[in-house]
Amino acid sequence: MIVNSAGRELPEKIGNYIVRPYQGAYATPAPETPVITKRTMGHRVPGDTKLLPDLKAAIQAAGLKDGMTISFHHAFREGDLLIGQVLTAIRELGIQGLRFAPSAVVNIKNPSIADFVLDGTIDRIEASGIRGELGDAALAGKVKNPVILRTHGARPRAIEAGELSIDVTFIAASAADDYGNCTGLVGPNACGSLGYAFVDAHNAGCVVVVTDTLVDYPCCPASISQQYVDYVVKVDQIGDPEKIGKGAARLTKNPRDLMIAERTADLIAASRRFKDEFSFQTGAGAIAIATTKYLADRMREKGVKASFALGGIPAAIIDMYDEGLVRVVECSQSFDAVAARAIFDRPGVVEIDNADYANAYSKGGFLNREDFGVLGALEVDTDFNVNILTGSSGEMMGGLGGGPDVAGGAAISIVTIPIIRGRTPSIVKRVFTLCTPGETVAAVVTEAGIALNPKHKNYAELKEDLEKTSLKLVTIEALQQLCEKLTGVPKPIETTDRVACIVEYRDGTVIDVIREIKR
Amino acid sequence: MELKKPAMAGTTESSDVMITLRPNPEGGIVIDLKSDVKALFGDAIEKTILEVLKEFQVENALVNVVDKGALDFVIRARMQCAVCRAAEIQFDWGKEDAHGK
């Protein structure tokens, strides 16, 4: 056993995986070796075609074999219809033992990914999170190898470091031409930004674009260019954009959530960084989206305009752009139809590569220039460590998303969280799964007050700014005690020694592991 | 105290609990607990239920609990209400109030 700098006990080796323990949020230098890629040169002569009749033909042409790695983007979120079709075709071709490496949590049903795990089509998963049936299967020990969970920023790093080499990527595009130029911006099932597919398109051994809307050459606009694309396939439907907003990106009417959202906007407005050309990210999650609305009010009241808004973008941010409150909207993902459409018809709303948003191991991206990042969480502990993966009974609930990246990048990172949900306490002595290290969390906003982290780099500044307001400041310990008073002390979750999931930090070190639950 | 008829209290709304009490012809107390937070608070919920039954000196009961994450005082109140309904008695509002009597 080894203990990382966040105090988590880790095995030295998990199967073939050698654990590099987390040593601090900014402790790991970049390797000096060149970026590793599986991208090959091609040679297409005039008259060549890339269009293949169906997915099976593309899988065969791509040379997919037992044990290889396949990837997908998650722009359709719960509405994805491509992954199921591709995995079904792979199963019918009898290919087994694949590593499944989508860009995030994919909780698709009919078919469920769990079916492909149980029949051996997939035997390794690397994603940002797993939940639902697949999560239950992993925690019950039904996935042969431990699942590796990475943040949005950690995934492109792992790909370029050669730790996650992708053999074949299948890119769902809402419009494409027969030579591979493609986009998510137009077509009946437009999903908006394809930001999560760029790193795959640029680095996979074989790139297959799958569309339901084949357009005349050349496809315009194009997000991913023909020069990266090996094959193009047309299917009936790649996804249902109506379902993108389900899951993580929800709106709320819950008065407690609204109260937390308003306090978060008040905290931002009280900061000295809240001035013209400030930048922010509010993200997905009920409270985060509500925060956006309150923040727009504060900006109007004080006459402050933002330089950029970043990350997953909902309609509320597009409204702010239209009103002139935000100069540039940098979209790595579009959370609804309005946001998807906005990239097409508004010059300051742009599609960006997810790596440009979140990867800490590039030559510098947007997050390092972000003032305020608002985050959701399942649990926070008295060291300000954040859990965004596992629920109160140890079940898989969420995904890492970009949370740890935003906390690591933004000058003021704010975790918004109700202190209890039902009888489940959310401010605890020790989070069940550590995802975001406390040293990167500046403030925790709850209905019972705001706790500032004395160990955060901008603590002194934030404390001084907030003490001038009527916002209620409390200690994180007081919040934890209040929780315990309301709910009682929960019975600890018992686990076995078997590691079901490995949680990697932005730099590829292991910040925590999730052990199988004892039933 | 004897339970005279089946009775219910509470709802299955989030943060509430629905408790159904029935006389137990076989004698004794049997608790059937379904809870969203059973792994964390199952023991605590059973303890509260037994406490309330003891408070009312109920010795024979079938208790069906569908908990949606209710806090302890909610469980206690729903339980007291269910006992009063099942035993056809009035709740003694004065007993917890030093000035009420």
Side-chain angles (χ1 to χ4, degrees), chain A residues 36 43 51 178 181 208 257 285 287 352 385 451 502:
Chain A
I36 295 168
H43 183 54
L51 192 63
D178 64 357
N181 294 301
V208 179
D257 287 355
I287 297 174
I352 58 161
N385 294 319
I502 297 165

Side-chain angles (χ1 to χ4, degrees), chain A residues 201-380:
Chain A
H202 298 170
N203 292 295
C206 182
V207 178
V208 179
V209 165
V210 186
T211 188
D212 49 21
T213 308
L214 211 50
V215 296
D216 289 341
Y217 185 89
C219 173
C220 179
S223 301
I224 288 166
S225 135
Q226 57 199 353
Q227 62 174 323
Y228 298 111
V229 179
D230 291 88
Y231 304 108
V232 179
V233 177
K234 184 184 177 298
V235 297
D236 291 338
Q237 197 179 354
I238 54 162
D240 178 1
E242 295 282 310
K243 289 188 183 156
I244 296 173
K246 280 197 177 172
R250 301 169 282 146
L251 275 170
T252 184
K253 284 179 189 156
N254 180 328
R256 183 176 64 173
D257 287 355
L258 291 173
M259 180 184 180
I260 295 169
E262 188 161 20
R263 284 188 173 167
T264 305
D266 287 338
L267 183 158
I268 293 173
S271 164
R272 68 191 68 183
R273 291 170 194 267
F274 184 69
K275 57 184 189 208
D276 270 341
E277 291 290 293
F278 82 104
S279 57
F280 71 96
Q281 173 172 6
T282 40
I287 297 174
I289 287 179
T291 302
T292 309
K293 301 240 175 201
Y294 289 113
L295 182 63
D297 292 341
R298 300 297 175 275
M299 290 168 72
R300 275 181 219 110
E301 286 159 19
K302 296 199 179 181
V304 168
K305 292 185 169 71
S307 56
F308 71 86
L310 180 63
I313 300 297
I317 300 269
I318 304 303
D319 292 342
M320 291 173 76
Y321 172 84
D322 288 344
E323 215 187 306
L325 293 174
V326 180
R327 184 157 58 81
V328 188
V329 182
E330 310 282 359
C331 314
S332 61
Q333 192 176 174
S334 311
F335 282 149
D336 50 48
V338 173
R341 179 77 200 170
I343 301 173
F344 183 70
D345 52 24
R346 291 165 174 85
V349 181
V350 295
E351 177 180 35
I352 58 161
D353 180 349
N354 156 58
D356 199 9
Y357 149 46
N359 184 4
Y361 288 81
S362 70
K363 286 166 189 173
F366 286 108
L367 272 180
N368 288 348
R369 304 295 294 266
E370 185 169 275
D371 290 313
F372 302 101
V374 178
L375 306 162
L378 294 168
E379 281 182 330
V380 179

Side-chain angles (χ1 to χ4, degrees), chain A residues 417-440:
Chain A
I417 189 167
I419 61 165
I420 56 169
R421 292 182 173 101
R423 194 174 177 167
T424 308
S426 2
I427 314 291
V428 296
K429 284 185 176 155
R430 182 183 158 93
V431 286
F432 183 66
T433 306
L434 203 170
C435 305
T436 304
E439 62 190 288
T440 63

Side-chain angles (χ1 to χ4, degrees), chain B residues 9 13 33 51-52 55 59 64 67-68 73 85 87 92-93 101:
Chain B
E13 291 290 313
L33 170 64
E51 271 173 26
V52 176
E55 210 176 282
E59 278 155 13
N64 186 283
D67 170 56
K68 297 287 177 185
F73 61 82
R85 284 174 179 169
D92 178 7
W93 293 101
K101 292 210 168 173

